């Protein structure tokens, strides 16, 4: 533009036009058009120069990028693994939120996780694998329906926020983070943890298990294992066979806060269960021993308030058997011995006072043994095997006592019948003059006893009259051979036959019946054990 103005100034006609104050209008238009044309050509040249310059910069940057990518990336070298671990922990925990769940990355898309992190499927739940290693049975309380098991609880999940390249940290491929109180939001916890709880619990697994570190691999896989007590409130199965019972208890583990929309469960190592694993596992001199444990993944339907949220749960079925030998030695054999002692009363003389004392003692011993057994069982309406056997034993022991009382009654009976005198008076079966004779018999009782001792077979009218009166006093205590008339001796002989008949029946039938019943009970136990095996 400046060169054009200079040329115009040098032109004589332009100078003449400028000197002319009222110059023509066409000369001015020509000058303006020339100036606009020159301006547009200058702008185009500048744009072309800028475009060529930008292309040169882009090509230069591409060349530099290719050179940088071809050269190996410089990595920081740490003096020790401890220094590398410290730097890695600081890097991973920077801006890490313990309260938010880890992002979901499908296993088949792991290679593309970095490229698709911003567009990841955040609606998919996090999968947590659960496994329990059963170490030993500590206590089984059937009265409270509780089981205390020493176990190792294991959780496995993936948190891509905790992934890194091992080559950047001296080849370090594992790091550990502290978890306190079984929760990631505890005061000193460092990472997020699932809120898996024992649904039928007496004590929360957050407090019954130890605080430990969670190990994290370079791909973000987290393994969290803790030793502790699994205290389960059980709905026992098999207790009806006590003490030959194989008990079954079911434990349910699942998330308490996250539904199936946010967290899914899986079985660790495909089974979710392991038993033993160390030299100190197992039981010795223990009442209960662990038989087997299995895990099953089930899903409970949604609640009405949230119809789209189901609740996955892992159900552990734990079975263990009781050591029945102490109950056989301490209770079952004792019950049988006490019953046999009670049966021995049938061979003791009736006149011996120890007969009833022995029968009562055997019955009280059976009741005491039953009370000890009852203290080990819940106060339920269902009856166990040993309770049924104890009830049968007590029935036989009670029969021994009642049989002894009945035999003693017949053995000392001297009346002609078993109707008491007050019932005879009530039905007017006694003559009125018997009152006077009863008074006379009281005065002459000493003479009649003396006469019967000197001549018991004397047949006189007086003694016959006394015999009629004497049957009302047959319930008074006396010696077996102390009769006041021949009629009393004759009546007593008849009643003694009844007493002997009852004893003979009891000596044969009771032991045989008891033996058969014991055999039936033991046969039930043998059959159930055969089915179990």
């Amino acid at each position: 533009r400046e060169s054009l103005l200079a040329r115009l100034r040098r032109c004589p006609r332009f100078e003449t036009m400028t000197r002319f104050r009222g110059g023509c209008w066409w000369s001015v238009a020509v000058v303006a058009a020339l100036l606009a044309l020159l301006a547009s050509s200058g702008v185009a040249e500048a744009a072309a120069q800028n475009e060529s310059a930008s292309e040169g910069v882009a090509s230069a940057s591409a060349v530099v990028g290719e050179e940088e990518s071809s050269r190996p990336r410089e990595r920081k070298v740490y003096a020790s693994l401890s220094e590398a671990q410290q730097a890695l922990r600081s890097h991973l925990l920077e801006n890490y939120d313990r309260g938010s769940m880890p992002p979901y990355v499908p296993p088949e898309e792991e290679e593309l996780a970095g490229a698709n992190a911003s567009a990841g499927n955040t609606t998919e739940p996090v999968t947590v694998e659960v496994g329990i290693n059963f170490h030993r049975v500590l206590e089984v309380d059937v009265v409270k329906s509780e089981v205390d098991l020493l176990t190792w609880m294991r959780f496995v999940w993936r948190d891509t926020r905790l992934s890194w390249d091992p080559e950047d940290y001296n080849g370090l491929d594992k790091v550990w983070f502290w978890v306190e109180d079984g929760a990631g939001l505890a005061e000193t916890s460092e990472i997020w943890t699932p809120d898996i709880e024992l649904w039928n619990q007496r004590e929360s697994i957050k407090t019954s298990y130890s605080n430990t570190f969670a190990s994290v691999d370079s791909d973000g896989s987290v393994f969290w294992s803790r030793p502790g007590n699994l205290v389960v409130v059980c709905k026992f199965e098999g207790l009806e066979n006590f003490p030959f019972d194989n008990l079954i208890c079911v434990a349910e583990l699942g998330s308490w806060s996250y539904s199936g929309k946010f967290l899914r469960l899986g079985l660790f190592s495909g089974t979710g269960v392991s038993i033993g694993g160390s030299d100190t596992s197992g039981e010795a001199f223990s009442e209960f021993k662990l038989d087997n444990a299995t895990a099953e993944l089930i899903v409970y339907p949604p609640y009405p308030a949230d119809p789209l949220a189901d609740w996955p749960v892992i159900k552990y079925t734990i079975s263990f058997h009781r050591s029945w030998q102490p109950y056989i030695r301490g209770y079952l054999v004792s019950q049988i011995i006490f019953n046999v002692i009670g049966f021995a009363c049938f061979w003791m003389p009736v006149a011996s006072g120890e007969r009833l004392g022995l029968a009562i003692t055997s019955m009280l011993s059976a009741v005491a043994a039953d009370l000890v057994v009852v203290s080990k069982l819940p106060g339920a309406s269902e009856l166990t095997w040993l309770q049924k056997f104890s009830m049968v034993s007590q029935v036989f022991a009670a029969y021994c006592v009642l049989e002894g009382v009945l035999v003693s009654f017949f053995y000392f009976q001297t009346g002609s019948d078993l109707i008491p005198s007050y019932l005879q008076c009530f039905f007017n079966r006694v003559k009125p003059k018997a009152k006077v004779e009863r008074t006379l018999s009281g005065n002459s009782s000493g003479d009649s006893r003396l006469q019967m001792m000197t001549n018991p077979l004397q047949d006189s009218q007086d003694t016959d009259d006394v015999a009629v009166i004497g049957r009302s006093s047959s319930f008074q205590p006396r010696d077996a051979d102390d009769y006041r008339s021949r009629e009393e001796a004759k009546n007593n002989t008849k009643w003694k036959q009844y007493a002997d008949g009852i004893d003979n029946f009891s000596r044969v039938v009771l032991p045989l019946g008891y033996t058969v019943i014991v055999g039936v009970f033991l046969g039930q136990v043998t059959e159930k054990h055969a089915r179990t095996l």
Side-chain angles (χ1 to χ4, degrees), residues 433-444:
K433 64 178 182 181
K435 297 181 180 180
V436 180
E437 293 176 353
R438 186 179 296 110
T439 306
L440 295 176
S441 64
N443 296 331
S444 60

Side-chain angles (χ1 to χ4, degrees), residues 39-55:
S40 61
S41 63
V43 171
E45 291 177 0
Q49 291 177 359
N50 291 335
E51 184 177 358
S52 61
S54 63
E55 290 178 357

Side-chain angles (χ1 to χ4, degrees), residues 329-408:
R329 295 190 298 264
Y331 304 113
L332 186 62
V333 175
S334 299
Q335 291 277 14
I336 296 176
I337 291 175
F338 294 148
N339 285 123
V340 171
I341 292 175
F343 298 156
C345 299
F346 303 148
W347 282 269
M348 293 184 66
V350 181
S352 175
E354 288 78 8
R355 173 168 175 155
L356 278 178
L358 182 61
I360 295 173
T361 302
S362 64
M363 180 178 178
L364 293 178
S365 301
V367 172
D370 182 68
L371 292 177
V372 176
V373 174
V374 169
S375 64
K376 295 180 174 292
L377 296 172
S381 59
E382 297 85 355
L383 294 177
T384 64
W385 183 92
L386 192 56
Q387 284 178 319
K388 295 177 183 178
F389 186 85
S390 298
M391 292 175 61
V392 173
S393 298
Q394 292 181 38
V395 169
F396 278 92
Y399 177 85
C400 294
V401 175
L402 296 177
E403 194 269 352
V405 173
L406 186 61
V407 168
S408 298

